[in-house]
Amino acid sequence: MNIVDLIVFLVFSVGTIVFGYFLGYRKQSSDEFTRGGGKVPGWIVGLSIFASFCSSISFLGYCSSAFSGNWNAFVFTLSILPAGLLAMRFFVPFYRNLGSISAYSFFEERFGPWARIYASVFYLLTQICRSGAILYLLAVPMNVLMGWNIPLVIAVTGLGIIIYSQKGGIKSVIWTEALQGAILIAGIVICLAVILKGMPEGPAQALKICMADNKFSLGSFGDSIVESTFWVCLVYGMFTNLNNFAIDQSYTQRYCAAPSLREARKSAFWGAFLTLPVNFMLFIIGSCLYAFYKVSPGLLPEGIKSDYVFPYFIINEMPSGLTGLLIASIFCAGMSTVATSVTSSGTIIMTDFFSRIAPEAHDDRKVLVLRLSSVAVGLAGIGVALCFLLFDNALDAWWALSSVCSGGVLGMFLLAYLCPSARSAHIVPGVIAGVAALILIALQTRLTEWWNIPPFIHINLSIVMSTLLIFFIGLILSRMTIRRSNS
């Protein structure tokens, strides 16, 4: 990376950290830390939700998936807008009227303290794993570009994110994410234009090559639940995105940061809507990279991992100045999502754990717990990021982890939301069955080796199975109780 690119990179990436830090420079109350005072404009909140969706997992993972395979992973994106529309209609007003910043206080009201703790623990596990995946994918391009040590980049980047997210709370995170989202969009548009311009016979050549090699395939439309077919990816996307908009603390917390219900609904819509065209361009970039290196095979090193192809293109083919912007875009995409995970996890630790132990604690002490919790979650994410060095494809590894770490909490929420007669005794058997399904699916690789049987379900469907088990077992038991009481 030359001096021009380095300056551009530092201006954008370091500048956003400084920007986020000084947004939280003044003393804050716990309400301002967790809700931003309820004064953040809806379109800014929406841009921050979009930035969370399009993290470095998307920026590098989707390009890698399209380059090495096809557009099967894009099917996941198709379910984002319906989930956003459902959030506008039902979830946004629900959480704004809940009376608590914690998304999981509702579970305590319906099923008791154990349900709230259960949901909170699985949320924290998900966010730590998510932060780890993103930090790893932040470090990859810097290793390719300048040979920097991946663990060192993970540690330095993670600490930088921790500094501004624990300082300014949700307000700093939202405004910084909005800025980072704008940088991300600009970087993607510029990169796509450069790739298409670099094709010897023009953009049509890339399209022709990709169509001939079936690179735009959305996957098999067969009925297998073991492979990542179109239907498996679609169902996984529907449940995961519904999980995001309905019960993910990092989303529900931002609904409460907007000044009005109308602004909050606007944020859910724009957060979902912007993701569609941006993810579409990311898959186009991955496919075009395949065509680009197919017509010039000698340009790509032998045996390079698919996650490294996009960064390799950036450093070797992008004009001076734009290389720094693209790397800054990847950094900004990742930093925004990790900051959200860190801040929302700190909120959950304060509201769902600390406040139970010290309900009368002074507000200054709550703010201190929020800051320390954010630091702890950030450090845990750094540790998980180092573990991602063991995986060949970070996107596949993250999807598997996120599905298993969901804990079937969506099933608990749907039962509590849609079935007023459900009680704690009804949901406990479903939770036991859901957790058992998660463990069974997570261990199926070992089980198939030990017992010499074929795989029985795709690991991404673990969120589907656990959700359905919890919901339907609870629903059936509650209906049986009503019938017995009426007989």
Side-chain angles (χ1 to χ4, degrees), residues 82-98 242 245-246 252 255 261 265 268 413-414 417-418:
L85 295 176
L86 286 173
M88 286 179 59
R89 176 66 178 85
F90 300 106
F91 308 138
V92 170
F94 174 79
Y95 283 108
R96 288 184 65 89
N97 295 326
L98 187 60
L242 189 60
F245 279 100
T252 63
Y255 301 157
L261 176 60
R265 281 177 160 159
F413 174 79
L414 293 176
Y417 188 81
L418 300 174

Side-chain angles (χ1 to χ4, degrees), residues 6 79 100 132 260 426:
L6 184 60
S79 61
S100 173
S260 66
H426 305 144

Side-chain angles (χ1 to χ4, degrees), residues 363-378:
D363 195 66
D364 286 346
R365 193 176 179 191
K366 291 181 179 179
V367 173
L368 177 61
V369 171
L370 285 166
R371 297 189 192 281
L372 292 177
S373 299
S374 299
V375 173
V377 171

Side-chain angles (χ1 to χ4, degrees), residues 405-429:
C405 290
S406 68
V409 177
L410 178 60
M412 294 175 62
F413 174 79
L414 293 176
L415 186 65
Y417 188 81
L418 300 174
C419 184
S421 62
R423 297 293 181 266
S424 180
H426 305 144
I427 199 170
V428 169

Side-chain angles (χ1 to χ4, degrees), residues 38 206 222 224 258 282 304 341 404 433 487:
S224 171
L282 287 173
I304 187 172
S341 295
V404 172
S487 60

Side-chain angles (χ1 to χ4, degrees), residues 124-134 384 388 398 401-402 405:
L124 292 174
L125 288 174
T126 300
Q127 296 311 308
I128 290 172
C129 291
R130 186 185 198 191
S131 298
I134 293 166
V384 172
F388 268 85
W398 158 241
L401 280 172
S402 65
C405 290

Side-chain angles (χ1 to χ4, degrees), residues 43-375:
W43 70 274
I44 292 291
V45 178
L47 195 53
S48 79
I49 292 175
F50 152 75
S52 292
F53 262 119
C54 291
S55 65
S56 53
I57 292 178
S58 302
F59 209 122
L60 294 180
Y62 287 168
C63 291
S64 169
S65 181
F67 174 84
S68 62
N70 53 32
W71 280 39
N72 177 242
F74 183 72
V75 178
F76 175 90
T77 300
L78 300 178
S79 61
I80 293 178
L81 186 57
L85 295 176
L86 286 173
M88 286 179 59
R89 176 66 178 85
F90 300 106
F91 308 138
V92 170
F94 174 79
Y95 283 108
R96 288 184 65 89
N97 295 326
L98 187 60
S100 173
I101 194 63
S102 169
Y104 311 119
S105 61
F106 178 55
F107 292 107
E108 183 170 8
E109 294 175 9
R110 290 301 315 278
F111 305 127
W114 73 269
R116 181 175 185 173
I117 298 301
Y118 175 88
S120 300
V121 167
F122 274 98
Y123 176 76
L124 292 174
L125 288 174
T126 300
Q127 296 311 308
I128 290 172
C129 291
R130 186 185 198 191
S131 298
I134 293 166
L135 286 172
Y136 167 74
L137 285 171
L138 282 175
V140 165
M142 301 313 296
N143 175 263
V144 175
L145 294 172
M146 290 179 285
W148 289 358
N149 180 268
I150 289 182
L152 179 62
V153 176
I154 288 172
V156 172
T157 307
L159 291 174
I161 294 168
I162 290 170
I163 287 172
Y164 81 80
S165 60
Q166 65 84 31
K167 181 66 177 178
I170 195 67
K171 182 179 178 181
S172 283
V173 169
I174 289 176
W175 278 95
T176 306
E177 277 187 321
L179 175 61
Q180 291 164 335
I183 297 172
L184 169 68
I185 294 173
I188 290 173
V189 171
I190 292 171
C191 185
L192 180 58
V194 171
I195 295 174
L196 292 176
K197 185 179 179 181
M199 293 300 297
E201 299 176 16
Q205 184 184 20
L207 178 63
K208 182 179 179 181
I209 291 172
C210 290
M211 291 186 66
D213 292 353
N214 203 30
K215 298 297 289 184
F216 296 133
S217 170
L218 297 177
S220 167
F221 284 84
D223 57 4
S224 171
I225 61 171
V226 177
E227 303 171 356
S228 183
T229 64
F230 175 91
W231 304 112
V232 165
C233 203
L234 181 64
V235 172
Y236 166 73
M238 291 171 60
F239 277 74
T240 298
N241 287 311
L242 189 60
N243 187 84
N244 289 337
F245 279 100
I247 60 171
D248 190 307
Q249 175 69 24
S250 65
Y251 289 76
T252 63
Q253 191 168 342
R254 280 180 284 194
Y255 301 157
C256 299
S260 66
L261 176 60
R262 181 178 180 180
E263 289 293 298
R265 281 177 160 159
K266 185 188 300 182
S267 71
F269 171 77
W270 283 111
F273 179 78
L274 285 173
T275 308
L276 288 171
V278 172
N279 280 3
F280 177 81
M281 286 190 288
L282 287 173
F283 276 90
I284 286 288
I285 287 173
S287 298
C288 289
L289 284 173
Y290 170 83
F292 180 86
Y293 285 116
K294 184 169 184 177
V295 297
S296 303
L299 297 179
L300 196 65
E302 186 75 22
I304 187 172
K305 292 171 62 175
S306 59
D307 284 343
Y308 287 61
V309 172
F310 190 23
Y312 184 85
F313 174 87
I314 291 172
I315 191 62
N316 288 282
E317 305 296 338
M318 294 292 291
S320 180
L322 294 182
T323 297
L325 176 62
L326 261 296
I327 297 302
S329 298
I330 297 173
F331 255 73
C332 289
M335 287 193 296
S336 63
T337 308
V338 175
T340 302
S341 295
V342 166
T343 304
S344 61
S345 296
T347 299
I348 286 298
I349 292 173
M350 191 274 289
T351 58
D352 293 10
F353 295 93
F354 175 76
S355 292
R356 305 186 70 83
I357 301 171
E360 304 299 326
H362 190 273
D363 195 66
D364 286 346
R365 193 176 179 191
K366 291 181 179 179
V367 173
L368 177 61
V369 171
L370 285 166
R371 297 189 192 281
L372 292 177
S373 299
S374 299
V375 173

